[in-house]
Amino acid sequence: MNKIHIYSILLLLLGSKATFAQQTNSLVSKAASISFFSSAPLEDIEAKSSLAGSALNIKTGEIIFRVKITSFQFDKKLMQEHFNENYMESDKYPLSEFKGKIEDCEKLTKDGTYKLNVSGTLQIHGVGKPYSTAATFNVKNGTIKAIAAFDVRLADHKISIPSIVGKKIAEVVKVKIEAAYN
């Protein structure tokens, strides 16, 4: 195949993807990042997953995030084991999911930076709880980058912390989400 033929196929495929996105108004982020940070008197704990998936409908404002609990990575292997086995019970509750809606989502059709409210239900450890937070959306050339941060109280999701490790794990963890949609 010559270069002109390859470029023609690439342009056709890219054009088809753009047309599909316009018709469905749906954008996808296949490698969204979710991290959390726990600051306690004896130890700070941080973990991150870059394997979360998300979809966003710019017409309705509907948004969904899904992450496999075992995809969170820690600096210490023992922390990761305790997280999955003792606290999150990842075998029993393998996924965490957020389903919600973005207010004033029609703004996301134009280039710019917007701070919009996102509300929905976060399902962790088999327990759903409503959350609302401000998220920053940066729209440029059809790509939307989103960043949000909010606090999660572990007890709200029936994640119990044994008193013996209570000074190592905070009752509230800070969650940060980043995604790029196209």
Side-chain angles (χ1 to χ4, degrees):
M1 280 196 194
N2 64 29
K3 286 184 182 180
I4 294 174
H5 190 67
I6 292 172
Y7 287 129
S8 298
I9 292 171
L10 283 173
L11 285 172
L12 180 63
L13 289 173
L14 290 173
S16 297
K17 181 180 176 188
T19 302
F20 175 76
Q22 288 171 354
Q23 289 173 348
T24 64
N25 296 305
S26 294
L27 300 173
V28 175
S29 178
K30 293 181 182 175
S33 165
I34 299 176
S35 61
F36 65 84
F37 181 76
S38 161
S39 183
L42 295 181
E43 189 169 31
D44 289 344
I45 299 171
E46 189 169 14
K48 181 177 182 178
S49 173
S50 296
L51 300 175
S54 182
L56 161 65
N57 183 312
I58 58 173
K59 186 172 184 171
T60 65
E62 293 173 294
I63 188 166
I64 185 169
F65 277 89
R66 210 176 259 162
V67 65
K68 191 173 181 182
I69 298 300
T70 56
S71 71
F72 283 97
Q73 299 296 307
F74 294 74
D75 286 337
K76 297 178 183 173
K77 186 170 176 61
L78 187 58
M79 279 184 188
Q80 191 163 335
E81 285 178 27
H82 286 182
F83 171 78
N84 284 299
E85 293 172 12
N86 302 338
Y87 306 114
M88 296 300 289
E89 300 176 274
S90 333
D91 289 341
K92 190 174 180 180
Y93 308 107
L95 296 172
S96 179
E97 179 180 86
F98 176 82
K99 286 184 181 179
K101 192 159 182 145
I102 304 165
E103 292 177 14
D104 300 323
C105 67
E106 65 277 358
K107 293 180 179 179
L108 301 179
T109 60
K110 297 178 187 158
D111 284 3
T113 300
Y114 308 98
K115 192 165 193 165
L116 304 174
N117 192 48
V118 180
S119 300
T121 301
L122 177 62
Q123 180 89 10
I124 301 176
H125 198 244
V127 178
K129 181 180 184 309
Y131 283 84
S132 184
T133 190
T136 301
F137 295 89
N138 186 347
V139 182
K140 187 172 183 183
N141 298 327
T143 296
I144 299 173
K145 292 183 180 177
I147 298 175
F150 56 96
D151 293 339
V152 172
R153 182 172 304 284
L154 300 180
D156 289 348
H157 294 278
K158 296 186 180 178
I159 300 168
S160 55
I161 307 300
S163 59
I164 195 164
V165 293
K167 292 190 179 198
K168 290 186 175 185
I169 301 172
E171 292 178 17
V172 176
V173 296
K174 298 192 177 302
V175 176
K176 183 177 182 183
I177 297 174
E178 296 182 47
Y181 301 89
N182 50 29

